[in-house]
Amino acid sequence: MSRPIRSKHGCWTCRLRKKKCDEHQPQCETCESLSITCYGYGEKPEWMDNGTQERAIAEGIKQIVKVTSRRKATVHIHRTQQDRALAPKPSRDASPSPSGKSEDVGVISTEESILLMHFFDEVFPLQYPVYKPDALMAGRGWLLHLLLRTKPLYHAALALSAYHRMVVGFARISPQCRAFATVRQEEQLEICLKEVRRTIRDMNQFVQKKQSCYAMGLLASVVQLVFFELFAGEDGAWQIHLDAAIDMYQKGCRDRLAHCGLTEKSKTFLCDNLPLEHFDPEDDGPTIVQEVVTFRFMEVTIIWFDLVASITAGNAPKLLSYHPRGFQSLLQIRLENVVGCPGWLALQIGRIANLHYKITQAKQLELLFDCAESAKDADAIHRDIQTGLPSAREISPISPTDTVFANMAIIYLHLVIHGFQQLSLLDNANEGIANS
């Protein structure tokens, strides 16, 4: 019997995966059910050249399919083992309005109210333990506004909250309750992923209507997905979401935030790095504060995530060129207020990560390696760290956290240059930081 002829008109994602496509428009239902990007039916994408980029995208899609399939299997097992009443359907339609009008989350059920407050009281402080928002800069109001206006972020927060509640109460709740919590967590996550795709699809009309919460909410949603995968996920799915957040941030910087739907004044404040003291509260209203604070918070979070990821993977930070902008100390939302590490020190850590990558690449590719030049770079970084604390003290008091991060940076630099040799050098370096 002859084999069925596979259609040559399927979406580019299915053709890349060598799978049958249902050819549904504007995106195939196969891709949507697997929570992967459907690259449509138009011209052949530039990255489909049998090269490195095509293999990277194929591997990324493979990892997402693997994670999605595992989650669906988990939900199916729990639903068949437990009474279906333990897994009620979502109380409302999660589909966005095609008109591009208000996309807020609508009426909140009792269960979702519990999860939402748990996110604010327990999960968000766990994610950002040093973040103490300035009341004059809207406190955490920007987060509440964003959560209630953007469905992807709302459901990402509920999924993470459901997971955290299950973990902290694991020993005290029954297997039936754990099964219920798992199902609800996966349902919220599935809604989040669908809403992310729909928000991307409808982004142009949101931008035209100056509805900035959707672009900002989408960015925040992807960041929350990074957190979810780090806490509850497996494999490297968090890296896929982080790469997406990095791409979105870079696009915003390249087009001066044109695709974010921000007001012109907000874009001016952000692109020119103006402090918020310059805005007129009577003339500009709370919108400027909301948009500027939200973007700055997401900006420093993404740059920091990229830096930490580069250290763990031994790669150069993808956003290294944005460090001077993102780690400035004169803006209201500063890195030290979000993650604890002062911006000037994060700049040095980024330099160390980049130096580490250069050394590693030279060794792997068997290139000529200039040890003297690397030692010179390392000495310059070490000197900047040693002198940085006294300089920073002239601007604001030094916290114990600053000293901890400085010591960690010195240890990291030593390991990059010397490995685990000459550890006695660290004693003098750390003593110098303690006395500075």
Side-chain angles (χ1 to χ4, degrees):
M1 180 181 295
S2 61
R3 297 178 61 185
I5 300 175
R6 180 180 295 159
S7 171
K8 296 182 179 180
H9 303 289
C11 75
W12 289 107
T13 303
C14 289
R15 293 165 75 173
L16 175 66
R17 298 178 60 228
K18 296 181 173 59
K19 300 294 183 180
K20 182 179 179 180
C21 180
D22 58 39
E23 301 183 24
H24 187 270
Q25 300 284 347
Q27 59 182 10
C28 82
E29 295 179 352
T30 301
C31 293
E32 183 172 0
S33 67
L34 293 173
S35 301
I36 57 179
T37 300
C38 180
Y39 287 98
Y41 308 89
E43 295 293 328
K44 184 176 181 180
E46 295 181 358
W47 49 262
M48 288 194 74
D49 56 358
N50 294 321
T52 303
Q53 189 174 5
E54 179 176 336
R55 289 193 294 272
I57 292 177
E59 180 61 26
I61 292 175
K62 180 180 178 181
Q63 290 296 329
I64 295 177
V65 171
K66 184 177 179 181
V67 172
T68 303
S69 300
R70 184 183 295 112
R71 284 177 176 149
K72 288 186 176 182
T74 300
V75 172
H76 176 73
I77 290 172
H78 283 302
R79 280 181 170 167
T80 55
Q81 288 179 341
Q82 306 296 334
D83 186 349
R84 289 183 181 273
L86 292 176
K89 299 293 184 182
S91 59
R92 60 179 179 280
D93 182 11
S95 301
S97 167
S99 65
K101 295 181 180 180
S102 176
E103 292 291 318
D104 58 34
V105 298
V107 179
I108 301 175
S109 67
T110 301
E111 177 189 349
E112 291 180 350
S113 297
I114 294 172
L115 290 176
L116 184 61
M117 292 311 300
H118 185 80
F119 177 81
F120 271 98
D121 294 340
E122 304 293 338
V123 179
F124 188 76
L126 182 64
Q127 293 173 302
Y128 301 98
V130 303
Y131 180 56
K132 306 297 181 184
D134 187 341
L136 296 179
M137 294 297 109
R140 289 188 298 174
W142 63 269
L143 178 60
L144 178 61
H145 175 81
L146 211 58
L147 278 166
L148 297 181
R149 292 297 305 278
T150 51
K151 290 180 180 178
L153 178 59
Y154 177 77
H155 291 287
L158 295 191
L160 194 53
S161 184
Y163 171 77
H164 184 261
R165 290 187 76 229
M166 180 182 66
V167 170
V168 297
F170 189 85
R172 293 180 291 165
I173 61 178
S174 66
Q176 290 82 3
C177 288
R178 289 198 292 269
F180 171 72
T182 300
V183 170
R184 294 301 290 142
Q185 162 199 312
E186 295 299 334
E187 285 180 342
Q188 297 292 347
L189 186 63
E190 184 176 355
I191 295 173
C192 169
L193 293 173
K194 288 182 179 179
E195 291 298 331
V196 165
R197 292 194 299 274
R198 287 170 175 153
T199 301
I200 293 174
R201 183 190 64 197
D202 299 333
M203 186 56 66
N204 287 337
Q205 59 181 310
F206 294 147
V207 171
Q208 292 172 3
K209 295 175 181 292
K210 296 294 183 182
Q211 295 174 315
S212 63
C213 59
Y214 301 113
M216 295 295 96
L218 180 62
L219 190 60
S221 302
V222 177
V223 170
Q224 286 301 321
L225 287 172
V226 174
F227 273 112
F228 185 91
E229 294 297 346
L230 288 173
F231 290 165
E234 300 179 25
D235 302 322
W238 66 270
Q239 183 66 62
I240 298 171
H241 296 308
L242 178 57
D243 288 342
I246 291 172
D247 289 341
M248 293 167 64
Y249 172 70
Q250 288 178 315
K251 180 180 179 181
C253 292
R254 286 195 299 266
D255 65 10
R256 289 185 63 84
L257 309 180
H259 75 291
C260 294
L262 300 169
T263 63
E264 292 302 319
K265 288 188 176 181
S266 292
K267 287 190 286 188
T268 299
F269 273 97
L270 289 166
C271 293
D272 297 340
N273 286 325
L274 300 176
L276 276 174
E277 284 85 351
H278 290 180
F279 92 107
D280 184 349
E282 294 184 359
D283 188 26
D284 301 322
T287 301
I288 304 297
V289 175
Q290 168 73 25
E291 293 182 341
V292 172
V293 169
T294 300
F295 185 86
R296 275 293 295 165
F297 188 92
M298 290 297 106
E299 178 177 43
V300 297
T301 298
I302 292 170
I303 296 177
W304 177 254
F305 270 17
D306 173 57
L307 177 56
V308 174
S310 71
I311 294 172
T312 57
N315 296 325
K318 296 179 180 179
L319 298 176
L320 184 65
S321 62
Y322 296 92
H323 285 192
R325 166 193 164 85
F327 296 155
Q328 291 187 75
S329 61
L330 300 178
L331 301 176
Q332 282 75 15
I333 304 297
R334 301 193 297 268
L335 182 69
E336 52 264 44
N337 296 335
V338 177
V339 301
C341 179
W344 68 267
L345 187 53
L347 286 170
Q348 306 307 321
I349 296 175
R351 292 173 63 191
I352 300 172
N354 191 46
L355 178 61
H356 184 199
Y357 174 72
K358 290 180 179 179
I359 294 174
T360 302
Q361 282 293 99
K363 292 179 179 178
Q364 289 178 348
L365 299 177
E366 298 181 352
L367 301 176
L368 292 177
F369 180 59
D370 192 337
C371 295
E373 186 65 25
S374 296
K376 181 180 178 181
D377 291 340
D379 288 340
I381 296 173
H382 188 279
R383 183 168 55 255
D384 289 342
I385 295 175
Q386 292 281 10
T387 59
L389 284 174
S391 299
R393 184 181 287 113
E394 297 176 0
I395 300 175
S396 61
I398 297 296
S399 69
T401 307
D402 295 349
T403 304
V404 170
F405 275 105
N407 282 324
M408 292 169 61
I410 291 293
I411 294 173
Y412 178 31
L413 179 61
H414 181 92
L415 293 177
V416 167
I417 300 300
H418 303 288
F420 288 93
Q421 307 300 318
Q422 304 182 44
L423 295 179
S424 59
L425 296 176
L426 288 174
D427 296 333
N428 296 330
N430 291 336
E431 182 178 352
I433 289 178
N435 294 330
S436 62

